[in-house]
Amino acid sequence: MGLVYDSAVSTGLFDPSDIKVRINPFVHYRTGNEDPTHSFIHVFAHIMEGRNVMQKKQLSKKIITALHAIFPSVPIISMNIQDFEKATYCNKSMLYH
């Protein structure tokens, strides 16, 4: 988690206090390989809109490179980024503003 967080911070695309990293291990999965125990890491990034394609590509590449460096034997390491709209985002601190 620290590695993903630090990689995201190092891009300069985010305020460090806005970055949240969570791990959600999957108990049941199938990767399409014949070996059902094949390990994988997939990062789902949900970020506030406003970054361009190149910035998001830089973020993906930086995180995947860092993960590959510490998990070289994991055969599948991947990431996708989804933007969410600022206009529709809400959290508890925004309720009374």
Side-chain angles (χ1 to χ4, degrees):
M1 288 183 5
L3 178 77
V4 171
Y5 177 88
D6 292 342
S7 295
V9 167
S10 75
T11 66
L13 297 174
F14 309 97
D15 180 321
S17 66
D18 290 337
I19 299 170
K20 303 343 179 251
V21 179
R22 300 167 181 93
I23 292 179
N24 187 11
F26 292 93
V27 176
H28 306 284
Y29 62 89
R30 182 166 179 185
T31 62
N33 297 318
E34 291 186 27
D35 181 358
T37 62
H38 232 186
S39 59
F40 70 95
I41 297 170
H42 184 82
V43 177
F44 295 93
H46 301 276
I47 65 173
M48 186 67 70
E49 66 185 346
R51 281 90 181 174
N52 65 41
V53 172
M54 290 307 293
Q55 290 170 318
K56 291 185 274 190
K57 182 177 179 177
Q58 171 196 9
L59 174 64
S60 289
K61 192 168 189 172
K62 185 157 264 206
I63 289 173
I64 296 305
T65 299
L67 287 170
H68 176 62
I70 64 168
F71 298 109
S73 65
V74 174
I76 301 169
I77 302 176
S78 56
M79 178 173 175
N80 69 294
I81 298 175
Q82 293 183 308
D83 291 338
F84 56 91
E85 298 176 332
K86 188 172 188 166
T88 60
Y89 177 77
C90 186
N91 66 35
K92 186 172 82 170
S93 70
M94 299 166 72
L95 290 176
Y96 303 104
H97 290 98

